[in-house]
Amino acid sequence: MSSTPVPGLARFNTAADSAAAAELHEVCASATWGRSVLARRPYATVEALCSASDAAMAELTADDLAEAMAGHPPIGRPKPGDPTSAREQRGMAGVSDELRAEMLELNLDYQEKFGHVFLICATGRTGEQMRDALRERIDHSSEQEREIVRTELGKINRIRLARLVVPAEEENR
């Protein structure tokens, strides 16, 4: 994340509040998080934007976290027609039927215990790595898991914010 001017960041900084808020909602479904990030515009760098995201994430209440998690589909079942969801869960594409069935069962057990989807920054992880993390985390307390979810959401938000303001062709330079 460079300190050179980023055209997408300039566009985001100068977008109408309603347009920028809609973009932020696609990054994170928490309205509180979105308002906090929006209120801190303009951003000098992508890192400053990501740091503001981290600060906003740290301030979220349990209800705000629940709202943010509601925007995420279960691992192994990306939102149909959603390229972001499919890209983030690429590690589950092509896994065995056995692993897919195990993930479904573990996801349901997790959801029953914690009352929300299992959330992990899936980008770059294999299906087996996600399964192993789910197996480990299902034994956590609600308090432990809430803080892990906060951290995972923060990672996801950073990736999504970078994609929002840095075009894919610039990322690959």
Side-chain angles (χ1 to χ4, degrees), residues 16-32:
D17 284 354
S18 60
E23 288 183 321
L24 289 172
H25 185 74
E26 291 300 313
V27 170
C28 180
S30 166
T32 300

Side-chain angles (χ1 to χ4, degrees), residues 130-142:
M130 289 183 267
R131 179 208 50 216
D132 294 347
L134 180 46
R135 282 179 178 166
E136 177 185 324
R137 287 174 49 191
I138 202 161
D139 291 329
H140 289 162
S141 69
S142 294

Side-chain angles (χ1 to χ4, degrees), residues 110-170:
Y110 179 96
Q111 224 167 325
E112 184 175 316
K113 179 176 180 178
F114 295 110
H116 56 79
V117 298
F118 169 71
L119 193 109
I120 189 168
C121 182
T123 300
R125 292 182 186 253
T126 66
E128 291 81 4
Q129 289 170 325
M130 289 183 267
R131 179 208 50 216
D132 294 347
L134 180 46
R135 282 179 178 166
E136 177 185 324
R137 287 174 49 191
I138 202 161
D139 291 329
H140 289 162
S141 69
S142 294
E143 296 76 25
Q144 287 174 303
E145 196 55 22
R146 184 174 34 257
E147 291 314 307
I148 291 171
V149 164
R150 184 185 307 276
T151 299
E152 294 298 310
L153 275 168
K155 293 176 192 176
I156 294 165
N157 290 353
R158 279 179 158 264
I159 292 167
R160 289 180 174 185
L161 284 169
R163 290 188 72 80
L164 174 68
V165 299
V166 179
E169 59 274 8
E170 287 184 29

